[in-house]
Amino acid sequence: MPRDSSATKARLLDAAFSEFAAYGIAGARVDRIAEAAGANKRLIYAYFGNKEQLFDEVLRRALTAGAESVPFDVDDLPGYAGAVFDHLVARPDLMRLRLWQLLERPSATGLEPDAFRRKTAGVADAQQRGDVAGEMEPADVLTMVLAVAQAWFWAAEGEEVGQSWSPQRLARHRSAVVEAARRICEPKTAEG
């Protein structure tokens, strides 16, 4: 019976995600990835090239899944910030993977610049319509909204974040994220 290469690739990518999130690129071990995936480690090189290329594919896949799970909504940037927060609560390992990318491969990007430019253009359009505050550059608005959505994952030193929070704490943090994003985006009124 022929082997299912797409199933093997998917298992390798899932195992690599866990390995890279835990250890980064330098600390990740190809043999552990292969063992966790139930595959021969030579397949990693055959399918993905080297460990850095495997990391790039894992990151690309995670970013694509995130974009599909949390669609960008320029007409509700506070809601978008809340949805990003929810996504990160469900997958706190994404923040670890992103941190490793920033530390070990800061210039290795794929989808990020194009997606950021499209979102920034959407913010600029909303600013032109008067729907989003125009005091900051569109890229600054988007960066601040994303930073607010991620803030609790960087600030909670020495504790597990996201899934271990009580429902009350989770709701309080999410509410703060949405309110902060609202304040960033809210157009100024003539009297304010």
Side-chain angles (χ1 to χ4, degrees), residues 12-173:
L12 285 167
L13 288 166
D14 289 342
F17 181 94
S18 297
E19 182 77 6
F20 288 131
Y23 301 105
I25 299 170
R29 297 292 171 253
V30 173
D31 54 338
R32 285 193 302 240
I33 294 169
E35 183 179 335
N40 185 313
K41 75 178 185 178
R42 288 180 303 179
L43 291 175
I44 292 172
Y45 299 104
Y47 293 148
F48 305 105
N50 59 35
K51 192 166 59 166
E52 288 78 14
Q53 291 169 311
L54 175 60
F55 179 85
D56 292 345
E57 179 58 22
V58 165
L59 185 62
R60 186 201 63 74
R61 186 177 182 224
L63 291 172
T64 299
E68 290 169 359
S69 297
V70 186
F72 181 66
D73 185 358
V74 74
D75 295 321
D76 184 13
L77 289 172
Y80 174 67
V84 170
F85 176 83
D86 294 340
H87 184 68
L88 294 174
V89 166
R91 296 291 311 268
D93 48 352
L94 290 172
M95 290 300 292
R96 289 191 304 275
L97 185 70
R98 176 77 170 128
L99 183 57
W100 285 117
Q101 186 253 334
L102 291 170
L103 290 170
E104 296 184 305
R105 288 187 57 80
S107 63
T109 58
L111 303 171
E112 295 171 90
D114 290 337
F116 190 82
R117 278 192 285 279
R118 282 191 304 277
K119 291 174 184 174
T120 299
V123 172
D125 289 344
Q127 287 176 316
Q128 288 293 321
R129 293 189 311 266
D131 296 336
V132 171
E135 292 78 20
M136 289 190 280
E137 292 293 320
D140 294 332
V141 171
L142 180 58
T143 298
M144 293 301 112
V145 167
L146 291 170
V148 163
Q150 298 172 26
W152 281 110
F153 298 90
W154 301 117
E157 295 181 26
E159 65 176 286
E160 286 294 317
V161 296
Q163 295 173 334
S164 66
W165 289 336
S166 70
Q168 297 81 10
R169 185 174 180 189
L170 182 64
R172 192 172 63 247
H173 290 336

